[in-house]
Structures are given as C-alpha cells and as structure tokens.
Amino acid sequence: MESAIGIDSILVKKEWIHPDTGEQKSFKCVLGCGISTKNYSEFKDMYDNAIDATLKSCGIDKDKFIYCNYDFCKIFAQCGIPIHQIFWRNISSSIEAVNIFYTLFRKDDTPLAFGRLERELKHKLSNSVLNFDELVEKHLNNYFPYVCVWRIKDFLIKNGITPMLDSFQGRITEAWEEISDIPIHVYPSGDKCNPLISTADIALQLVELRLAKQKKFIQYGNFRSVLPEMNNKVYEYSISGYHYRKIIPLHSKNIRVKDRYKHPIVFVFKDKNQFISSEALKNEPTMDTIFTFANMLDGCVKFFKSEEDTQLIQNGDYAVYFSDEGKKAIETLKKMGKSLKSFDISTISKEVKKSV
C-alpha cells in the first residue's frame, strides 16, 4: 500500500445580512478534502518532520505524533500563532495533490427521499422527497467521505490508490454500490491517528480561513487560488443536482462501516461512567497516547461498546484498559477465544513516550 488518499469532510454553514437590502442570507454545503501521496510510508516520515518543524517554530513541545485541526485551534486560541499556515508551508511540498469536493445544490430542489430499491418494494414513505437541509445535513454530512471516493473512483482504481477515510455513517446509495469492491480503509477519529486524514482535516480549516479572508465563495476556481503552495496541484469537484440519483439513499439500510475499519484496531475499554462520554474522552490528553500507539501500528482506535464489537476482533488487535473493570472484560473475551494483546494505560504510555 504505497499510493493513498486521506479524506475528511466538514459541514459549512454561514449566515449574513445583505448590506444593500438588509435581507437575511444563508449558505450551507458539505466540503471535503482528499490529500494524496504516491508513497504513504515516505509521507508518514515527511508529516512527522513537518509537525516537528511547525511545533519548534512555535516554541511548543511535541507530545504525540498526530496533530489535528482541534489541536491547532487550541494552540491558536492560547498563543495566537497561525499554526495552520505554518504547518501548511512545511507539508505542502510533500503532498502529491489536494482534491477538494463540495456540494452545489439549489435550495428549492426536492430529490426523491429514497432510490430504486424502495420504489421496487413499493414502500409507502411518510415523506417522498428530501428538502435541501435533509439532503445536506441529515445525509451527505454523515457519509460525504465515501461520496468523495465515488466522485473520483475511476482515477483511484486506475492508479491503484488506496482511500483512507475518516469514519462515517449512513445509508447505502448507488454511489456506495459502485465503490463497494474498492479496498477502502476507515479510521474512526482518523484525524487523530492517520497523517493523511490529519492533513486533510487541517487543510479544510485552512481553506475556510483563506476563503473568508479573501472574501471568496465556495465555488469552482477559488480553492486553487487560496492554496498557491500547491503549484496548481489542486483539483476541484462539485457534487450537484446532476448526481442526485447516485447519492440519495436507496433504502433505509445502513452501510456496515465497521467492516472497513483498518486493523489492527486498538480497542479502548473505558469505565462505565455516565459523566465521561466516549466523545468527550477523545480529546483528553490520556487518549493522545492511545491514538499515537494506533498510528505506530498503522491502525485505528475504537471504543468497545457492545456485543457487536466482539465480532470485529481479529488476530493482532489490541485492547487498552484504565481499571480492573476493563481488565476483567478483556479477560472474559480472551476466555471466549478472542485474541487480544492487552495493556494497562500506564504501560502503553511508557512505550509511546520512548518513541515520541
């Protein structure tokens, strides 16, 4: 696996008052970014060097391998250092291409709520069409990374490029059917454990910042103009009404995204504490060690939540626990025949600190 593309996406929402008419205006779209490289192994080293150089110039000590937009925004808020810009200058020469994807729909369009399978089954739907907000926020915002893969699937297949996606969820579409045979690797919290997805995550924020500063809209031609460091290696793709048939759900069945998770998976067994959610725990310093460990393995991190997760376990996967509660759960799984290499969080922390 040498050639690869890391993809992440965000929902963009803007509101403003028209200066002449005083009319309330709004804009909403899903924006995706794919960072590609011809040699993933080399890119990992170059990413590491870029992070080192960026943090050094900011006078910040490095405490993990992967930094995401969330981390950079915290640094900017605390120090006022334009760290996104600095990192981009350090990493841009290591990127083969930047691929930008954006939705471009008319607000009064009402595509069908479901595709051919629901029609073939003759199901009666409470709502037969989707409005603009439902299409953008309820559906595409949740599974846009794979829509980006579909948009350039022929190029990816022809060149043997492996897609690495931040995790997503959502319904099966014709677009998904057309790429289901491609070996897609999904990384839950990919911006925290995969260098290509991390770079895509940071690039999305950078593009938004530069577009706003230059008072440019999200439209064709503007993305290339705000990323001059790429020397025109920026490719822009719209997802418009022309693509409705491919991107609306075929039926109510969801994609089994877990089947695409990149192994080895580092399963996290957190205590059953109602005050600490998995989402909140992701941004705690303790988790940085686990995400760094997953990056060292070229794997991903998954909070162990249910019996269904038991079926994901493969030989070579890992388990990290915080207390005896988690340790006992792992021991039970091992008695069931599940092969897991388990670590106490303090043990894994010592191993990671030797490498950072």
Side-chain angles (χ1 to χ4, degrees):
M1 183 180 65
E2 291 300 325
S3 295
I5 182 170
I7 299 176
D8 200 358
S9 66
I10 57 172
L11 178 67
V12 178
K13 300 169 72 172
K14 298 183 184 299
E15 294 184 352
W16 70 96
I17 303 295
H18 193 285
D20 297 326
T21 64
E23 184 182 0
Q24 180 78 33
K25 294 286 187 177
S26 65
F27 172 83
K28 185 185 301 180
C29 82
V30 189
L31 185 65
C33 178
I35 302 294
S36 60
T37 177
K38 286 186 175 180
N39 191 314
Y40 180 60
S41 297
E42 286 186 1
F43 182 83
K44 290 179 72 174
D45 292 334
M46 292 185 285
Y47 172 91
D48 196 40
N49 293 336
I51 287 291
D52 284 344
T54 300
L55 297 178
K56 184 177 180 180
S57 66
C58 296
I60 298 170
D61 292 331
K62 180 182 179 183
D63 56 8
K64 55 186 175 181
F65 285 154
I66 305 296
Y67 284 74
C68 63
N69 175 53
Y70 177 85
D71 300 315
F72 278 9
C73 286
K74 280 180 61 178
I75 292 171
F76 177 75
Q78 293 167 0
C79 312
I81 299 171
I83 191 167
H84 294 76
Q85 313 275 2
I86 298 170
F87 171 74
W88 191 252
R89 288 198 296 268
N90 289 325
I91 195 64
S92 56
S93 62
S94 304
I95 297 171
E96 178 64 24
V98 176
N99 302 270
I100 300 291
F101 309 85
Y102 59 103
T103 57
L104 185 65
F105 305 121
R106 296 193 313 176
K107 287 188 176 182
D108 56 353
D109 280 356
T110 53
L112 294 174
F114 288 102
R116 69 167 196 278
L117 294 184
E118 288 292 327
R119 295 197 297 275
E120 290 171 2
L121 293 171
K122 297 181 180 180
H123 285 172
K124 292 183 179 180
L125 304 174
S126 56
N127 291 307
S128 60
V129 296
L130 295 172
N131 62 38
F132 176 81
D133 288 334
E134 289 173 328
L135 175 64
V136 174
E137 288 200 59
K138 180 180 177 181
H139 291 295
L140 287 178
N141 182 42
N142 288 319
Y143 55 73
F144 201 61
Y146 90 66
V147 173
C148 298
V149 172
W150 168 79
R151 188 69 171 82
I152 57 172
K153 67 181 187 305
D154 294 337
F155 178 80
L156 298 179
I157 294 170
K158 179 181 178 181
N159 292 278
I161 300 172
T162 300
M164 300 176 171
L165 310 186
D166 198 23
S167 193
F168 60 88
Q169 60 183 348
R171 308 287 172 77
I172 294 174
T173 64
E174 286 193 20
W176 177 254
E177 288 185 329
E178 291 180 12
I179 64 171
S180 60
D181 291 336
I182 296 177
I184 295 171
H185 294 160
V186 177
Y187 296 74
S189 301
D191 57 342
K192 294 178 177 293
C193 63
N194 179 286
L196 279 175
I197 299 174
S198 157
T199 304
D201 180 50
I202 293 166
L204 285 167
Q205 177 72 8
L206 183 72
V207 166
E208 267 209 281
L209 288 169
R210 289 183 174 180
L211 285 172
K213 185 175 182 179
Q214 297 180 28
K215 296 182 179 180
K216 292 183 176 180
F217 293 106
I218 290 179
Q219 64 184 38
Y220 189 86
N222 285 348
F223 305 107
R224 181 173 293 185
S225 70
V226 297
L227 295 173
E229 299 92 343
M230 291 306 303
N231 295 318
N232 291 327
K233 293 189 295 183
V234 177
Y235 303 93
E236 306 171 355
Y237 305 90
S238 65
I239 310 295
S240 67
Y242 176 78
H243 304 111
Y244 280 146
R245 185 170 65 85
K246 298 291 185 178
I247 62 175
I248 61 172
L250 286 173
H251 49 64
S252 58
K253 188 176 181 180
N254 285 325
I255 297 167
R256 279 189 55 85
V257 180
K258 292 180 179 181
D259 293 341
R260 304 297 181 120
Y261 284 175
K262 179 65 172 63
H263 291 265
I265 298 176
V266 181
F267 289 98
V268 178
F269 288 75
K270 77 178 188 69
D271 297 345
K272 294 178 181 178
N273 188 321
Q274 62 176 324
F275 301 108
I276 305 177
S277 67
S278 298
E279 197 61 35
L281 188 57
K282 285 180 184 178
N283 295 316
E284 290 298 313
T286 303
M287 284 298 298
D288 288 341
T289 299
I290 299 174
F291 285 121
T292 296
F293 184 61
N295 170 65
M296 293 164 61
L297 300 168
D298 192 25
C300 69
V301 175
K302 171 75 173 69
F303 285 96
F304 194 92
K305 295 180 179 178
S306 64
E307 184 179 343
E308 185 180 349
D309 288 340
T310 304
Q311 307 306 315
L312 291 177
I313 299 173
Q314 297 182 6
N315 288 338
D317 286 342
Y318 293 79
V320 178
Y321 58 90
F322 291 84
S323 66
D324 287 341
E325 182 182 320
K327 185 178 182 180
K328 288 177 181 178
I330 295 167
E331 288 174 349
T332 299
L333 288 171
K334 288 181 177 180
K335 290 177 182 178
M336 293 169 56
K338 297 298 180 180
S339 178
L340 280 167
K341 301 175 184 177
S342 57
F343 295 94
D344 180 272
I345 183 61
S346 60
T347 303
I348 206 169
S349 295
K350 292 175 183 176
E351 292 299 315
V352 167
K353 286 178 180 178
K354 293 177 183 177
S355 302
V356 175

